[in-house]
Amino acid sequence: MTVTAASSPATSRSTGAASSAAPQVVIYACDGQPVGRPAGFILACGDGGLALQSLTWSGWGGPTATANGELRQNICIPNCATGGSVSYPAAVTVSGLTGGRYTSLHTTAPTAPDPSSNFRLDLNGPVFVSR
């Protein structure tokens, strides 16, 4: 299964209606495209081996937004090409709203091998910061 970020640019076509009085808030996907309220979002830009899927957001556009969904991780046994993937229930928080985009992302997936991770959200997608 391949998970990709929603590819619509930050316009009224983005998921979630934006009022004409408020600018559209986005995060940037691995391809450098802005997305609003993504249902899926790749966290490992190099190989797509870590991603969020089935995200349901609340508070999008405020200082902090949260989502529930799944963290999908490739299983590289016997190797990454044939190992498949596993999904874990996950909570996601984006914050650091600056200039119409969130700049930080935190995942919590208590049953995953790495239950907590922090990412910086750059203009070219997420960058892992710490566990």
Side-chain angles (χ1 to χ4, degrees):
M1 170 192 246
T2 301
V3 176
T4 57
S7 61
S8 61
T11 67
S12 60
R13 294 181 325 181
S14 294
T15 304
S19 74
S20 59
Q24 176 69 27
V25 174
V26 299
I27 57 178
Y28 282 82
C30 293
D31 62 1
Q33 294 298 307
V35 292
R37 290 185 188 238
F41 192 70
I42 295 174
L43 296 172
C45 292
D47 65 3
L50 186 65
L52 298 165
Q53 59 192 24
S54 303
L55 296 175
T56 303
W57 291 95
S58 63
W60 190 270
T64 300
T66 58
N68 289 311
E70 297 180 338
L71 177 71
R72 184 200 40 84
Q73 183 174 10
N74 283 355
I75 304 301
C76 293
I77 299 172
N79 60 58
C80 293
T82 62
S85 65
V86 64
S87 294
Y88 306 95
V92 180
T93 302
V94 291
S95 60
L97 184 57
T98 303
R101 71 180 180 94
Y102 292 110
T103 59
S104 298
L105 182 144
H106 175 77
T107 63
T108 303
T111 60
D114 295 314
S116 178
S117 296
N118 295 296
F119 295 84
R120 184 178 69 241
L121 296 174
D122 286 348
L123 295 177
N124 290 315
V127 176
F128 175 75
V129 175
S130 66
R131 299 220 189 287

